[in-house]
């Protein structure tokens, strides 16, 4: 017969497979105890009491050993992250359009007018690199828009923007080459797809200007000078670069390692990585007030209130994290304590409303579990769903009305990854930052893009998360990493075609 105690012990053991040897040793001690415990001494006045104490002591030791082993496995969650040797993360600074790294090339020494590199990202839009010989009269930009490569060329010959090809924001390494051939510019992807723009440039070799500047991950001109506006921030990585076949060295910003430098992970999947030292914030005035009726990503759990006439709030996120004390998200008036928050406390998800704990429920799984969370607040209750499992509790009317008033007035913030203090940028008390991966952050059924945040810490990877291969975990939120885009080209203002 299985007792509740044995079921609990069995569940604990299943959560900690690394503790099997500990369990075997403890069972051996129970079967054949040895010194110093030895056989339990007989007490004539209280027969069997010492034996029970002795067994209790062994049980406590066993549970402690299992807990330590489980903790050591969980502590590996995002602690040991493999890095891509020789790669440069070009998404170092948020909100700053300047390049992550720059270099200068003397054109009189250039014999080959081709630059090549390998590039990897999940980010749909941003600057890969910028180059110029004169910032006001002769510059070139290569970036992504909707995951497709885009070139912008401004010089005395032409002003042109060209976008097209397959979407390459698939988390895979792609080889890109940009080459100047007389008056033409050639863009080549993975040694196969090729786009040639004719009569758009001067020859780089024997160029009248003596120097070319190159910046990766940003611009050396004002953002407003782009031919077509673009979100310049790019969460991406470069490796194996060759700039005009020269040995030019980076002038600044290209440290591959060092304090405060974001690395390129060896293997990534979609999501946003919060390293335990940063947060993002959105103005409530820029977020939807009610559930979206025209969103294909609206989950079944979120669609529950579409027929509800009263206002309600739905916040959802997919996360992977280990035990910690950290804020996943919070809704707060400016510079005040949050009205609504969702936190991790060890391995429990804790929902608070009006400063009071309403719900507490454990994450499913051990080690570094992946969980889909949905928080719903109505006038009657607060409900929390973890995957298929859900629970709810009634709430006070005053707390609901305070949340409703704040959200509809737009005079507050949604914080993700931490609770801010006062100051600009916001400062967060130590220990309250979330560490882990967040994917598909949804507000009223709409997915947020961290690139559009009011504020975002430089420490956050906006579009990529490291895989947990060291724990043998398979990521399930990235089954299809190959994006098939239309192979057409959008050209402004001149026409061009992409050869098949």
């Amino acid at each position: 017969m299985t007792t509740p105690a044995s079921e609990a012990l069995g569940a604990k053991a299943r959560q900690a497979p690394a503790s099997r040897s500990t369990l075997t040793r403890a069972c051996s001690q129970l079967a054949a105890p040895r010194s110093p415990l030895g056989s339990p001494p007989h007490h004539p006045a209280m027969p069997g009491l010492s034996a029970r104490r002795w067994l209790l002591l062994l049980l406590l030791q066993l549970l402690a050993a299992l807990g330590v082993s489980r903790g050591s496995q969980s502590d590996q969650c995002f602690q040991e992250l493999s890095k891509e040797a020789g790669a440069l993360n070009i998404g170092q600074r948020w909100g700053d359009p300047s390049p992550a790294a720059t270099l200068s090339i003397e054109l009189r020494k250039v014999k080959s007018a081709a630059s090549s590199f390998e590039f990897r990202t999940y980010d749909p839009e941003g600057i890969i690199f910028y180059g110029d010989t004169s910032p006001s009269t002769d510059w070139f930009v290569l970036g992504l828009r909707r995951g497709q490569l885009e070139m912008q060329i401004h010089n005395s010959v032409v002003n042109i923007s060209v976008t097209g090809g397959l979407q390459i924001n698939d988390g895979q390494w792609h080889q890109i080459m940009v080459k100047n051939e007389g008056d033409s510019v050639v863009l080549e992807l993975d040694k196969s797809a090729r786009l040639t723009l004719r009569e758009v440039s001067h020859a780089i070799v024997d160029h009248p200007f003596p120097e070319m500047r190159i910046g990766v991950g940003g611009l050396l001109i004002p953002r407003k000078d782009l031919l077509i506006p673009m979100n310049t921030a790019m969460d991406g990585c470069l490796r194996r670069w060759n700039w005009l076949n020269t040995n030019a060295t980076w002038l600044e910003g290209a440290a591959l390692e060092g304090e405060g430098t974001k690395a390129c992970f060896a293997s990534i999947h979609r999501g946003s990585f919060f390293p335990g030292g940063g947060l993002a914030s959105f103005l409530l005035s820029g977020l939807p007030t009610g559930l979206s009726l025209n969103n294909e990503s609206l989950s079944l759990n979120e669609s529950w209130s579409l027929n509800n006439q009263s206002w309600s709030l739905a916040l959802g996120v997919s996360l992977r994290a280990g035990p910690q004390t950290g804020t996943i998200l919070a809704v707060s008036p400016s510079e005040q304590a949050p009205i609504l928050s969702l936190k991790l406390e060890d391995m429990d998800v804790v929902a608070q409303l009006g400063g009071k704990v309403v719900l507490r429920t454990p994450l499913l799984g051990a080690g570094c579990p992946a969980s889909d969370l949905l928080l719903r607040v109505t006038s009657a209750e607060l409900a929390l769903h973890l995957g298929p499992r859900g629970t709810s509790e009634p709430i006070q009317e005053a707390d609901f009305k305070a949340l409703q008033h704040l959200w509809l007035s737009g005079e507050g913030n949604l914080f993700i990854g931490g609770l801010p203090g006062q100051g600009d940028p916001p400062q967060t008390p130590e220990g309250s930052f979330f560490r882990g991966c967040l994917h598909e952050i949804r507000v009223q059924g709409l997915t947020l893009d961290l690139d559009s945040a009011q504020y975002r810490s430089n420490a956050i990877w906006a579009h990529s998360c490291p895989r947990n291969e060291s724990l043998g975990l398979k990521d399930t939120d990235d089954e299809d990493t190959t994006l098939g885009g239309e192979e057409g080209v959008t050209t402004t203002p001149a026409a061009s075609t992409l050869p098949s």
Side-chain angles (χ1 to χ4, degrees):
M1 178 177 178
T2 302
T3 65
S6 64
E7 288 179 350
L9 181 58
K12 191 77 172 181
R14 286 194 297 273
Q15 291 176 3
S19 303
R20 195 166 296 166
S21 60
T22 306
L23 180 61
T24 303
R25 288 195 301 270
C27 291
S28 299
Q29 289 180 356
L30 283 170
R34 298 188 302 269
S35 180
L37 292 177
S39 300
H42 175 71
H43 196 293
M46 302 179 66
L49 180 59
S50 296
R52 287 195 296 271
R53 288 178 176 173
W54 175 78
L55 290 173
L56 178 60
L57 176 61
L58 277 183
L59 180 59
L60 291 175
Q61 290 176 336
L62 172 61
L63 293 176
L66 289 172
V68 170
S69 178
R70 178 178 182 269
S72 62
Q73 183 191 26
S74 300
D75 289 345
Q76 296 177 29
C77 188
F78 298 114
Q79 297 299 321
E80 297 181 3
L81 303 175
S82 299
K83 300 178 181 179
E84 182 71 28
L88 172 65
N89 189 315
I90 63 175
Q92 298 292 334
R93 295 186 295 272
W94 175 84
D96 182 355
S98 62
T102 60
L103 56 82
S104 179
I105 297 174
E106 292 185 54
L107 293 181
R108 61 184 176 84
K109 298 181 180 180
V110 170
K111 302 302 180 184
S112 171
S115 294
S116 63
F117 51 85
E118 292 183 3
F119 175 67
R120 182 190 70 185
T121 189
Y122 279 115
D123 200 335
E125 183 173 330
I127 301 295
I128 300 174
F129 84 89
Y130 163 95
D132 73 22
T133 59
S134 170
S136 59
T137 62
D138 186 14
W139 54 259
F140 171 92
V141 166
L142 181 68
L144 286 187
R145 191 184 303 274
R146 298 181 299 276
Q148 298 174 301
L149 288 169
E150 174 171 302
M151 291 189 291
Q152 295 192 24
I153 303 173
H154 166 75
N155 54 41
S156 60
V157 178
V158 71
N159 289 328
I160 189 171
S161 175
V162 181
T163 306
L166 293 174
Q167 291 176 297
I168 64 169
N169 60 327
D170 55 5
Q172 306 299 315
W173 287 105
H174 294 277
Q175 186 178 65
I176 298 174
M177 185 187 71
V178 180
K179 181 165 55 173
N180 175 268
E181 294 180 345
D183 65 357
S184 301
V185 173
V186 178
L187 175 62
E188 186 176 282
L189 175 64
D190 293 328
K191 298 183 179 180
S192 57
R194 182 182 174 96
L195 172 66
T196 300
L197 302 180
R198 305 187 187 281
E199 299 181 359
V200 296
S201 179
H202 300 287
I204 289 181
V205 179
D206 301 324
H207 197 280
F209 291 98
E211 183 182 74
M212 172 176 283
R213 300 184 303 169
I214 292 178
V216 295
L219 301 171
L220 293 169
I221 57 173
R223 188 159 31 191
K224 64 179 179 62
D225 289 350
L226 287 173
L227 302 180
I228 299 178
M230 176 178 285
N231 187 338
T232 59
M234 170 58 74
D235 177 9
C237 286
L238 298 180
R239 70 179 183 184
R240 300 174 184 171
W241 51 77
N242 184 330
W243 303 104
L244 298 179
N245 199 29
T246 67
N247 294 321
T249 57
W250 298 105
L251 297 178
E252 61 180 352
L256 301 182
E257 297 181 0
E259 186 176 356
T261 300
K262 285 195 286 191
C264 293
F265 302 117
S267 182
I268 60 174
H269 66 92
R270 294 184 187 277
S272 301
F273 181 55
F274 289 71
L279 61 86
S281 66
F282 290 81
L283 292 173
L284 295 185
S285 57
L287 299 177
T289 55
L291 278 170
S292 172
L293 296 173
N294 299 312
N295 192 301
E296 295 180 357
S297 66
L298 197 65
S299 70
L300 292 176
N301 283 330
E302 288 168 317
S303 64
W304 69 279
S305 62
L306 291 179
N307 296 321
N308 189 340
Q309 298 302 315
S310 63
W311 180 84
S312 60
L313 178 63
L315 303 174
V317 66
S318 299
L319 66 82
R320 172 165 281 154
Q324 60 185 283
T325 299
T327 297
I328 303 170
L329 54 85
V331 179
S332 176
S334 300
E335 300 184 357
Q336 296 182 34
I339 289 180
L340 175 69
S341 67
L342 193 64
K343 301 179 181 180
L344 271 183
E345 292 184 1
D346 193 21
M347 293 298 285
D348 290 341
V349 180
V350 179
Q352 290 184 308
L353 180 64
K356 301 177 288 293
V357 174
V358 179
L359 284 175
R360 178 187 296 268
T361 185
L363 287 176
L364 298 175
C368 197
S371 304
D372 292 325
L373 273 64
L374 174 64
L375 178 67
R376 309 178 311 183
V377 185
T378 70
S379 58
E381 65 179 15
L382 184 150
L384 181 62
H385 286 259
L386 273 73
R389 185 185 67 186
T391 183
S392 63
E393 288 290 339
I395 58 175
Q396 296 181 7
E397 181 181 4
D399 293 334
F400 173 78
K401 288 187 174 180
L403 175 64
Q404 180 183 28
H405 173 76
L406 175 65
W407 193 275
L408 296 181
S409 70
E411 298 177 353
N413 296 86
L414 172 67
F415 294 103
I416 301 171
L419 284 174
Q422 297 185 9
D424 187 19
Q427 301 298 313
T428 302
E430 183 178 358
S432 65
F433 285 119
F434 170 79
R435 179 176 176 83
C437 183
L438 299 180
H439 180 51
E440 291 288 327
I441 304 168
R442 301 178 302 280
V443 176
Q444 301 289 56
L446 294 176
T447 301
L448 293 185
D449 183 354
L450 290 187
D451 285 339
S452 61
Q454 175 206 17
Y455 168 81
R456 192 182 82 207
S457 167
N458 289 332
I460 298 170
W461 281 254
H463 294 275
S464 58
C465 284
R467 290 188 183 272
N468 286 284
E469 295 176 341
S470 61
L471 291 176
L473 298 175
K474 180 180 178 180
D475 294 302
T476 58
D477 54 352
D478 189 31
E479 295 178 356
D480 182 9
T481 59
T482 303
L483 301 178
E486 296 181 358
E487 295 193 19
V489 174
T490 302
T491 307
T492 307
S496 179
T497 57
L498 181 66
S500 58

